[in-house]
Amino acid sequence: VKQAMLRDWGSWDGDFRAMTAELRRRLLALTGDRKGEYDCVPLQGSGTYCVEAMLVSFVPKNGKALILANGAYGLRAAQTMQYLGRAHTLIDKGDAFVFGFSKLDVMFGRKSADAVRLPYRDLAKPGVRFLQQTITAIDPEARRVTTEAEAHEADILVIALGADYDIAATPGLAEGGNEFYSVAGAERLAGLLPRFARGRAVIGVCGAPFKCPPAPSEAALLLHDYLSARGVRADCQISF
């Protein structure tokens, strides 16, 4: 990555324009557009920037969005809709959520699990309608969502349900390993790390794609600081 960054790419360069054109062509091919009815416009910026651009473009001023959430990104979409003045409803099966980075605070004993838990009731915003319901079915063509309580319809569905972890898919991980991607896993590590003063720590990625790509490297760097502060870094090896 560092080697690639040594080259100064500019949007006015012919090779850069050719590379961008090829990227657009390949992305359009993934959509199955064989009649040339669509085009691809790359947007530079964060994921949030792209989501905001999508919401302001696709949801009409008099339209309604149904946001299916499982934490921070769903709430962020709801807050964007509130800012844009678009009608929307936020649905989450839980009454609270935890930011991903907060699990590292739990892992290294900086905060408790209760301290990083953010109830939706404390984050209520004017114009944000929150429903705590469990989603049982999604009909994307009809833009209809069914929960255990009722059915909902909207002009656009924003699906931000996240992903469940399949720990058993990696042999031996459940029996002999640890993870910090869940609050429960971070709490277990918070109990184990104070007793780790000598030996090897391996921070591994079981496969791609995986959630929050920076998290493993962040954990490795924070573990380095944690062990250094305890004065045992020289007796420990960190492999990533």
Side-chain angles (χ1 to χ4, degrees), residues 196-201 227 231-238:
F196 178 65
R198 181 184 296 274
R200 299 180 60 187
L227 297 174
V232 296
R233 180 64 181 91
D235 298 320
C236 303
Q237 180 180 343
I238 302 173

mmCIF file of all heavy atoms in Angstrom, residues 196-201 227 231-238:
data_model
loop_
_atom_site.group_PDB
_atom_site.id
_atom_site.type_symbol
_atom_site.label_atom_id
_atom_site.label_comp_id
_atom_site.label_asym_id
_atom_site.label_seq_id
_atom_site.Cartn_x
_atom_site.Cartn_y
_atom_site.Cartn_z
ATOM 1 N N PHE A 196 -2.112 -11.951 31.304
ATOM 2 C CA PHE A 196 -1.153 -12.237 30.228
ATOM 3 C C PHE A 196 0.080 -11.364 30.412
ATOM 4 O O PHE A 196 0.032 -10.147 30.238
ATOM 5 C CB PHE A 196 -1.790 -11.967 28.860
ATOM 6 C CG PHE A 196 -0.851 -12.195 27.707
ATOM 7 C CD1 PHE A 196 -0.353 -13.464 27.430
ATOM 8 C CD2 PHE A 196 -0.466 -11.138 26.888
ATOM 9 C CE1 PHE A 196 0.503 -13.679 26.362
ATOM 10 C CE2 PHE A 196 0.385 -11.347 25.818
ATOM 11 C CZ PHE A 196 0.873 -12.618 25.551
ATOM 12 N N ALA A 197 1.206 -11.977 30.785
ATOM 13 C CA ALA A 197 2.435 -11.225 31.040
ATOM 14 C C ALA A 197 3.636 -11.802 30.310
ATOM 15 O O ALA A 197 4.724 -11.215 30.340
ATOM 16 C CB ALA A 197 2.729 -11.187 32.545
ATOM 17 N N ARG A 198 3.468 -12.935 29.658
ATOM 18 C CA ARG A 198 4.577 -13.571 28.955
ATOM 19 C C ARG A 198 4.007 -14.523 27.900
ATOM 20 O O ARG A 198 3.034 -15.226 28.162
ATOM 21 C CB ARG A 198 5.473 -14.342 29.925
ATOM 22 C CG ARG A 198 6.681 -15.025 29.297
ATOM 23 C CD ARG A 198 7.453 -15.834 30.335
ATOM 24 N NE ARG A 198 8.000 -14.950 31.349
ATOM 25 C CZ ARG A 198 9.163 -14.311 31.249
ATOM 26 N NH1 ARG A 198 9.913 -14.491 30.164
ATOM 27 N NH2 ARG A 198 9.580 -13.529 32.215
ATOM 28 N N GLY A 199 4.642 -14.527 26.705
ATOM 29 C CA GLY A 199 4.209 -15.458 25.680
ATOM 30 C C GLY A 199 3.846 -14.762 24.377
ATOM 31 O O GLY A 199 4.276 -13.631 24.109
ATOM 32 N N ARG A 200 3.040 -15.438 23.577
ATOM 33 C CA ARG A 200 2.699 -14.936 22.243
ATOM 34 C C ARG A 200 1.208 -14.655 22.148
ATOM 35 O O ARG A 200 0.377 -15.431 22.606
ATOM 36 C CB ARG A 200 3.084 -15.963 21.178
ATOM 37 C CG ARG A 200 4.565 -16.284 21.128
ATOM 38 C CD ARG A 200 4.849 -17.300 20.041
ATOM 39 N NE ARG A 200 4.460 -16.798 18.725
ATOM 40 C CZ ARG A 200 4.474 -17.544 17.619
ATOM 41 N NH1 ARG A 200 4.832 -18.821 17.679
ATOM 42 N NH2 ARG A 200 4.130 -17.020 16.469
ATOM 43 N N ALA A 201 0.884 -13.551 21.528
ATOM 44 C CA ALA A 201 -0.500 -13.193 21.236
ATOM 45 C C ALA A 201 -0.644 -13.119 19.721
ATOM 46 O O ALA A 201 0.100 -12.400 19.053
ATOM 47 C CB ALA A 201 -0.865 -11.850 21.871
ATOM 48 N N LEU A 227 0.482 -3.602 26.950
ATOM 49 C CA LEU A 227 1.567 -4.391 27.541
ATOM 50 C C LEU A 227 2.754 -3.508 27.917
ATOM 51 O O LEU A 227 3.426 -3.755 28.925
ATOM 52 C CB LEU A 227 1.998 -5.488 26.568
ATOM 53 C CG LEU A 227 0.932 -6.536 26.231
ATOM 54 C CD1 LEU A 227 1.442 -7.472 25.144
ATOM 55 C CD2 LEU A 227 0.532 -7.322 27.468
ATOM 56 N N GLY A 231 4.678 -2.797 31.599
ATOM 57 C CA GLY A 231 6.084 -3.133 31.728
ATOM 58 C C GLY A 231 6.433 -4.561 31.353
ATOM 59 O O GLY A 231 7.497 -5.065 31.750
ATOM 60 N N VAL A 232 5.576 -5.231 30.547
ATOM 61 C CA VAL A 232 5.832 -6.626 30.195
ATOM 62 C C VAL A 232 5.961 -6.812 28.684
ATOM 63 O O VAL A 232 5.994 -7.946 28.193
ATOM 64 C CB VAL A 232 4.703 -7.542 30.739
ATOM 65 C CG1 VAL A 232 4.681 -7.504 32.257
ATOM 66 C CG2 VAL A 232 3.348 -7.134 30.151
ATOM 67 N N ARG A 233 6.059 -5.695 27.948
ATOM 68 C CA ARG A 233 6.081 -5.804 26.491
ATOM 69 C C ARG A 233 7.260 -6.626 25.985
ATOM 70 O O ARG A 233 7.138 -7.389 25.006
ATOM 71 C CB ARG A 233 6.130 -4.403 25.858
ATOM 72 C CG ARG A 233 6.146 -4.398 24.345
ATOM 73 C CD ARG A 233 4.850 -4.983 23.793
ATOM 74 N NE ARG A 233 4.829 -5.016 22.330
ATOM 75 C CZ ARG A 233 5.246 -6.039 21.613
ATOM 76 N NH1 ARG A 233 5.737 -7.139 22.232
ATOM 77 N NH2 ARG A 233 5.183 -6.024 20.296
ATOM 78 N N ALA A 234 8.406 -6.504 26.623
ATOM 79 C CA ALA A 234 9.597 -7.230 26.164
ATOM 80 C C ALA A 234 9.438 -8.736 26.300
ATOM 81 O O ALA A 234 10.132 -9.506 25.607
ATOM 82 C CB ALA A 234 10.819 -6.761 26.951
ATOM 83 N N ASP A 235 8.556 -9.184 27.162
ATOM 84 C CA ASP A 235 8.346 -10.627 27.379
ATOM 85 C C ASP A 235 7.205 -11.187 26.527
ATOM 86 O O ASP A 235 6.878 -12.369 26.637
ATOM 87 C CB ASP A 235 8.037 -10.898 28.865
ATOM 88 C CG ASP A 235 9.187 -10.490 29.773
ATOM 89 O OD1 ASP A 235 10.348 -10.722 29.382
ATOM 90 O OD2 ASP A 235 8.916 -9.932 30.855
ATOM 91 N N CYS A 236 6.612 -10.351 25.702
ATOM 92 C CA CYS A 236 5.452 -10.775 24.910
ATOM 93 C C CYS A 236 5.703 -10.517 23.422
ATOM 94 O O CYS A 236 6.313 -9.529 23.055
ATOM 95 C CB CYS A 236 4.190 -10.031 25.349
ATOM 96 S SG CYS A 236 3.772 -10.220 27.098
ATOM 97 N N GLN A 237 5.216 -11.419 22.619
ATOM 98 C CA GLN A 237 5.309 -11.275 21.171
ATOM 99 C C GLN A 237 3.891 -11.132 20.599
ATOM 100 O O GLN A 237 2.997 -11.898 20.939
ATOM 101 C CB GLN A 237 6.000 -12.488 20.543
ATOM 102 C CG GLN A 237 6.124 -12.393 19.006
ATOM 103 C CD GLN A 237 6.809 -13.604 18.420
ATOM 104 O OE1 GLN A 237 7.460 -14.370 19.131
ATOM 105 N NE2 GLN A 237 6.672 -13.793 17.113
ATOM 106 N N ILE A 238 3.715 -10.141 19.736
ATOM 107 C CA ILE A 238 2.414 -9.898 19.097
ATOM 108 C C ILE A 238 2.547 -10.196 17.617
ATOM 109 O O ILE A 238 3.382 -9.603 16.928
ATOM 110 C CB ILE A 238 1.943 -8.454 19.301
ATOM 111 C CG1 ILE A 238 1.831 -8.126 20.798
ATOM 112 C CG2 ILE A 238 0.598 -8.220 18.625
ATOM 113 C CD1 ILE A 238 1.521 -6.655 21.068
#
